[in-house]
Amino acid sequence: MNPVLQTTTQAVDTAFYVIFGICGVMLVGVAIAMIWLVWRYNRRRQPVPLSQKDHNLWLEVVWTTIPTVLVMLMFWYGWEGYLSLRRIPDDAMHIKASARMWSWLFTYDNGKTADKLYVPVGQPVKIELAAEDVLHSFYVPAFRVKRDTVPGMISWVWFIAEQPGSFDLFCAEYCGVGHSAMVTTVEALPASEFAAWLKASAATTGDLAARGAELAQQLGCLGCHSVDGSRRVGPSLKGVFGQPREVVRNDGDITLTADADYLMRAIRNPAAEIVDDYPPAMPSYSQLSDAEVQSLVAWLKSLK
Ligand code: CUA
């Protein structure tokens, strides 16, 4: 369908305000009627009860018709809104989102990957959702989209960013100890800036640390490790190179220096030397080539 009839934000907001408005009118109406009845039929004003009637056709027609119309209205806006969320505009750009414990990876048609969801302003984007391990949920409140990612199943959402800006993107399904850290952002860039971003790739610049940074994004390292000194599931990577580290080994605790050797061991076999006071949550990355591990170490060195 083209052009976009209504955005996901408009679709959800319309249904929300219609339902909210009806609820507001009902609340006020019921409260006023109740207060009036209490006042009017107080024992002082009405010492003798009114005669009991068992039927009032007019009243029954009114209290059947009005709620039916209101409920159908809510259904109509809900249904229309739902269809708008499920109809992808023809010119939507495809981006793949991969959810894993505990980070997001976005892959573009040209092979570029990122741990933030960069989108061009003014163009609809279709996000294909996949889960690598367990259930997660893709949730961007600003665009009113939320959808589970299910292992073995592809689902999708679409939205359009009408203004440039940075918008929160959460995982909205409890997925383990790092769930609360599974947050990133949607970065809506003006079309020309987005095109420039999409073309640039660290892999072609030959900068070892930049390649390591890209690899760290792809592997999801930043889901558990911050680079700003804050504690997450794992220790922060800020300034880690050359720092003393207290680690727990099978043969006891020991303090060592985080040199290149240690960092390579910590990537390939993290369980052997767990940093003191952290859970043994990190999987082993023994499948990485020497060149890949070296680029990661170069990147770690650059995190001052
Ligand atoms: Cu992924 Cu919660």
Side-chain angles (χ1 to χ4, degrees):
M1 209 178 59
N2 211 9
V4 178
L5 281 187
Q6 60 176 353
T7 65
T8 53
T9 311
Q10 287 163 344
V12 173
D13 285 1
T14 305
F16 176 81
Y17 286 120
V18 165
I19 294 170
F20 191 71
I22 290 173
C23 293
V25 169
M26 300 279 286
L27 173 71
V28 172
V30 169
I32 289 176
M34 189 178 68
I35 291 167
W36 182 77
L37 288 169
V38 166
W39 176 82
R40 174 63 188 81
Y41 295 102
N42 183 286
R43 199 150 68 128
R44 267 175 293 149
R45 270 184 208 88
Q46 189 73 48
V48 185
L50 296 176
S51 66
Q52 299 284 320
K53 279 190 193 164
D54 65 1
H55 200 77
N56 185 325
L57 182 67
W58 183 82
L59 251 185
E60 289 194 16
V61 168
V62 168
W63 76 43
T64 306
T65 314
I66 294 180
T68 304
V69 170
L70 292 181
V71 167
M72 290 315 288
L73 255 178
M74 292 192 217
F75 168 75
W76 175 252
Y77 282 101
W79 175 243
E80 269 298 296
Y82 174 75
L83 290 182
S84 296
L85 297 181
R86 297 282 84 198
R87 279 185 203 127
I88 317 165
D90 290 339
D91 56 341
M93 192 179 93
H94 282 219
I95 303 171
K96 284 189 185 137
S98 196
R100 64 270 165 100
M101 296 187 274
W102 293 281
S103 63
W104 297 94
L105 181 69
F106 303 103
T107 309
Y108 295 78
D109 279 348
N110 70 351
K112 176 142 184 163
T113 57
D115 60 355
K116 290 181 180 182
L117 177 52
Y118 290 88
V119 298
V121 168
Q123 196 193 341
V125 288
K126 177 190 175 187
I127 315 292
E128 246 183 56
L129 305 169
E132 285 177 21
D133 35 47
V134 298
L135 280 177
H136 303 272
S137 185
F138 177 96
Y139 179 35
V140 187
F143 303 118
R144 319 287 193 258
V145 290
K146 183 196 240 178
R147 193 131 184 121
D148 280 8
T149 68
V150 184
M153 200 176 109
I154 298 291
S155 50
W156 53 267
V157 294
W158 81 271
F159 64 85
I160 180 167
E162 291 174 297
Q163 308 283 341
S166 184
F167 308 93
D168 290 327
L169 193 168
F170 299 104
C171 174
E173 182 82 52
Y174 183 68
C175 55
V177 63
H179 162 72
S180 63
M182 198 167 160
V183 283
T184 182
T185 50
V186 175
E187 299 290 334
L189 304 176
S192 57
E193 257 178 65
F194 175 80
W197 173 85
L198 190 59
K199 268 210 309 226
S201 169
T204 56
T205 62
D207 177 346
L208 200 60
R211 271 220 302 280
E214 212 172 74
L215 192 57
Q217 277 183 5
Q218 288 168 14
L219 296 171
C221 307
L222 302 173
C224 296
H225 300 282
S226 79
V227 293
D228 62 3
S230 60
R231 183 188 171 112
R232 288 199 188 165
V233 176
S236 177
L237 301 176
K238 186 186 181 190
V240 62
F241 191 84
Q243 241 181 25
R245 278 288 211 225
E246 253 183 68
V247 300
V248 181
R249 287 191 193 168
N250 269 341
D251 56 356
D253 296 8
I254 155 172
T255 302
L256 43 69
T257 303
D259 54 10
D261 263 2
Y262 161 78
L263 291 172
M264 288 167 95
R265 292 200 305 275
I267 294 167
R268 289 207 159 119
N269 188 12
E273 293 168 315
I274 294 291
V275 176
D276 195 28
D277 196 28
Y278 284 91
M282 180 166 159
S284 146
Y285 289 89
S286 54
Q287 79 280 13
L288 296 178
S289 71
D290 286 349
E292 286 172 324
V293 176
Q294 276 156 14
S295 72
L296 285 172
V297 172
W299 167 68
L300 288 170
K301 265 192 204 179
S302 73
L303 300 174
K304 300 265 160 55

